[in-house]
Amino acid sequence: MRVFSLNIQESHKRLGCVWLVLPNVSELLEKGSALLFEGNFDDALSYFEQALLLEPLNSEIWNKKGSTLRSLGRYDEALECFNRALALNPSDKKAS
């Protein structure tokens, strides 16, 4: 029986693995908020949707997504987002 002893980094080099670094929710929210402020609504929406994949129960992200959709004239979808935010956090005064 042959025993192999490699550290993880060395074995990943040999196997050709790539380390994947995922952004965290606060980074996505910050970038999306900056894009929303700049009026870049399509890109902002993309960041908020990515953030929701990581934290679907975050009412702040649902509010931001709703604001972005409202800015895009997608009022029915915006209302759904605001309602979701209120369902998650009924005391949230930002859900408009």
Side-chain angles (χ1 to χ4, degrees):
M1 174 190 275
R2 190 168 176 184
V3 177
F4 293 95
S5 174
L6 296 173
N7 68 36
I8 292 175
Q9 216 169 15
E10 184 180 324
S11 65
H12 284 289
K13 280 185 198 175
R14 289 183 183 206
L15 296 173
C17 295
V18 175
W19 291 96
L20 178 63
V21 178
L22 297 174
N24 66 41
V25 171
S26 60
E27 290 171 346
L28 292 168
L29 190 56
E30 183 178 324
K31 181 66 175 172
S33 296
L35 290 165
L36 177 60
F37 181 77
E38 294 168 4
N40 191 343
F41 305 126
D42 290 318
D43 289 341
L45 182 60
S46 175
Y47 277 89
F48 297 137
E49 288 175 340
Q50 290 176 61
L52 284 169
L53 290 174
L54 298 174
E55 281 190 27
L57 301 179
N58 185 320
S59 65
E60 180 182 5
I61 303 169
W62 283 107
N63 276 326
K64 294 284 189 174
K65 182 179 178 182
S67 295
T68 305
L69 289 166
R70 182 178 54 202
S71 296
L72 288 167
R74 294 164 59 180
Y75 302 112
D76 290 338
E77 294 171 84
L79 185 57
E80 290 176 24
C81 291
F82 294 137
N83 286 336
R84 175 96 38 111
L86 283 171
L88 292 168
N89 184 2
S91 63
D92 190 351
K93 297 189 187 317
K94 292 180 185 175
S96 44

